[in-house]
Amino acid sequence: MEGKRDLTDVELLERIEQMVWWRRIWLMLKLSGPGYLQSAFTLGSGTASACVLAGSKYGYQLLWVHPLAIIMGAIMLSALAKQTLTTLERPYEVFARRLHPAMALFWGLGALIASIVWHFPQYALAASVLTDWGELVGFSPSPTLCGAVLLGIATAIAWSYSFGLRGVRVYENLMRLFVAAMLLTVLIVVVETGINWGELVRGLFVPSLPADREGLTIVLGGMGASVGINMVFLYPYSLLKRQWDKRHLPLAYFDLWTGMVIPFSIITSLVIIACANTLHAQGIEVKGAADAAKMLGAVMGETAARVLMGAGFLAMALSTITLHMLTCGFIVCEIFGRPTEGWFYRLAMLAPAIGVLGVAYRQIPFWVGVFTSSIAFLLIPIVYIGIFILHNRPDYLGADKPKGTKALLWNLAMGLAILFLSGSAIFLWWLRLTAR
């Protein structure tokens, strides 16, 4: 007797209207994945350092930075999802054919360079954690040992993504668990230390800028880490890897908000609040992972705090390292016109591996991550403009091109995101260069 066949994603989505509301949400969460991948991508050393420095130095003042930046990024990723799932064409090829080959190459090389440069602070952060753990047990691991261990783990995880759809699901489930673990870790501190609700409302809804150059760099770094150019490159390929099409569009939109925007906004806000309640209140200057771990020291012993906080930072760094490798694999294959499979694809993932040299700078992980993110922030508006142009091309989207009120709403949202990010990049860098 033939066993009962499992329903496909599309068949489940077609039946969703017949379900009660809570089962609809549960099904959508179960089928989601690429959004969590993006959330894990952004939660690297740039975001970690920006949040820790923002909270420890400015209290609740910069709570607005990460949520606003990720919302602007989600608008453009939603447009990119519509384009990719409607046409099922690879974005790099679309940019080259319908805009200009130079624009596609700029996007690819910009994302590749950003991934390689961002790789260094990820290894620096991870190595600083291993060094701090070594000190706890009286062992001082060499940079070579740290680098070899970290690169080996990251390569094994990244290569698992190339082993078909099952590998994709396993990888994305790991990213989902990571997001949940980080949320629970920092939540401990916030629950124990409390929340200043008046400061929270002002920090989230009344944007203000620090007057000093250091503070402006933190703002730039926070925005740059939230909407990285390599993150935009990876996203559509993760959709295609999941074998989604335009029938999955409602799921893709839901996934972006529940898997990326909400978890990212909550985690970054909790880290800032926790650091404001502890490090800022105590006047502690943060220079490395051990200093940041003092945030947990307020609610547990120093040793437990250093182990737990270090585990969080290590997970953040490793997840971002593997996602950088994954992105570089896609980029190199696209530039050389090779399929994203086989050994060429896996070897292409090693393009940013030179970043392992960042273990030599493990004593200064925080400022490296922030400054790198602030530089990369200048690259993203050009890619967003390309997405905007394609969204309004009837020869590209055909009958699926938004019309009437929908077109107006899409263009207003995308225009706002482009103006906000490009204007912010120019304005904040001008302020930083003129600040004393």
Side-chain angles (χ1 to χ4, degrees):
M1 182 175 176
E2 186 176 345
K4 186 177 179 181
R5 179 179 67 86
D6 291 334
L7 295 176
T8 65
D9 291 357
V10 173
E11 290 171 332
L12 287 169
L13 290 172
E14 288 174 346
R15 300 185 181 190
I16 200 168
E17 295 300 327
Q18 305 167 12
M19 302 178 183
V20 296
W21 67 269
W22 62 268
R23 288 199 64 188
R24 292 183 193 175
I25 294 175
W26 174 249
L27 175 61
M28 298 282 271
L29 289 172
K30 184 179 179 181
L31 297 178
S32 297
Y36 288 95
L37 203 65
Q38 294 300 307
S39 186
F41 200 161
T42 57
L43 287 169
S45 71
T47 298
S49 53
C51 289
V52 170
L53 290 171
S56 63
K57 190 169 181 64
Y58 300 100
Y60 288 61
Q61 182 183 353
L62 300 180
L63 275 171
W64 61 274
V65 173
H66 292 89
L68 185 56
I70 202 69
I71 287 172
M72 296 296 106
I75 290 172
M76 299 308 299
L77 290 181
S78 296
L80 193 55
K82 178 175 176 60
Q83 296 172 19
T84 302
L85 296 182
T86 297
T87 65
L88 298 181
E89 294 181 332
R90 302 194 308 275
Y92 183 89
E93 180 184 319
V94 172
F95 264 58
R97 190 176 71 253
R98 296 187 178 275
L99 295 175
H100 195 281
M103 195 165 185
L105 190 61
F106 173 86
W107 184 13
L109 291 178
L112 182 65
I113 292 170
S115 296
I116 293 172
V117 174
W118 258 322
H119 228 54
F120 286 86
Q122 311 304 329
Y123 275 105
L125 177 60
S128 73
V129 172
L130 295 182
T131 300
D132 185 54
W133 285 352
E135 291 177 357
L136 290 175
V137 295
F139 172 67
S140 181
S142 68
T144 302
L145 177 61
C146 290
V149 170
L150 293 170
L151 181 59
I153 294 173
T155 301
I157 297 174
W159 280 4
S160 72
Y161 199 86
S162 65
F163 297 142
L165 190 58
R166 184 174 181 179
V168 175
R169 292 185 184 276
V170 170
Y171 191 91
E172 290 175 350
N173 285 334
L174 287 174
M175 296 303 100
R176 192 177 303 182
L177 288 174
F178 156 68
V179 172
M182 282 303 301
L183 177 61
L184 290 175
T185 300
V186 185
L187 188 60
I188 296 172
V189 181
V190 175
V191 169
E192 290 293 327
T193 58
I195 297 176
N196 185 324
W197 293 102
E199 292 294 321
L200 173 70
V201 172
R202 281 191 292 272
L204 277 175
F205 301 107
V206 185
S208 61
L209 293 172
D212 59 300
R213 184 175 298 166
E214 181 181 352
L216 292 171
T217 301
I218 293 174
V219 174
L220 279 165
M223 289 185 175
S226 300
V227 286
I229 189 172
N230 47 4
M231 165 184 168
V232 180
F233 197 102
L234 174 65
Y235 177 65
Y237 291 92
S238 66
L239 295 178
L240 294 174
K241 204 76 174 177
R242 286 292 293 265
Q243 299 176 7
W244 286 5
D245 56 37
K246 68 179 180 180
R247 293 171 296 181
H248 292 83
L249 262 177
L251 175 60
Y253 298 149
F254 176 87
D255 177 49
L256 274 174
W257 288 93
T258 60
M260 183 183 75
V261 174
I262 294 176
F264 180 82
S265 298
I266 291 175
I267 290 174
T268 53
S269 296
L270 287 177
V271 171
I272 291 175
I273 292 170
C275 289
N277 290 350
T278 55
L279 305 179
H280 181 69
Q282 298 169 30
I284 296 174
E285 183 180 359
V286 176
K287 294 182 179 179
D291 295 321
K294 295 174 182 177
M295 172 180 70
L296 293 182
V299 294
M300 61 183 69
E302 180 184 352
T303 300
R306 288 167 69 177
V307 171
L308 187 57
M309 195 68 183
F313 283 141
L314 183 62
M316 293 173 82
L318 272 175
S319 69
T320 305
I321 287 171
T322 55
L323 287 167
H324 283 166
M325 297 173 73
L326 183 63
T327 303
C328 288
F330 283 127
I331 295 169
V332 173
C333 286
E334 285 290 68
I335 291 176
F336 288 96
R338 299 291 294 269
T340 53
E341 59 186 22
W343 280 105
F344 184 90
Y345 172 47
R346 294 182 194 119
L347 291 174
M349 291 184 190
L350 299 178
I354 190 175
V356 73
L357 297 177
V359 298
Y361 301 97
R362 60 191 183 276
Q363 297 301 322
I364 52 169
F366 281 87
W367 274 112
V368 173
V370 172
F371 190 71
T372 301
S373 297
S374 68
I375 292 290
F377 187 40
L378 293 170
L379 301 174
I380 196 68
I382 297 175
V383 178
Y384 281 6
I385 291 171
I387 296 171
F388 180 92
I389 293 171
L390 288 172
H391 213 74
N392 288 279
R393 292 275 295 270
D395 60 332
Y396 173 51
L397 289 178
D400 291 295
K401 176 187 171 298
K403 300 177 181 65
T405 304
K406 286 186 178 180
L408 177 62
L409 292 175
W410 268 114
N411 287 333
L412 284 175
M414 289 189 294
L416 178 62
I418 292 170
L419 286 173
F420 169 75
L421 291 171
S422 59
S424 296
I426 295 170
F427 178 67
L428 287 171
W429 263 104
W430 176 79
L431 284 180
R432 184 185 181 279
L433 294 174
T434 57
R436 294 184 178 181

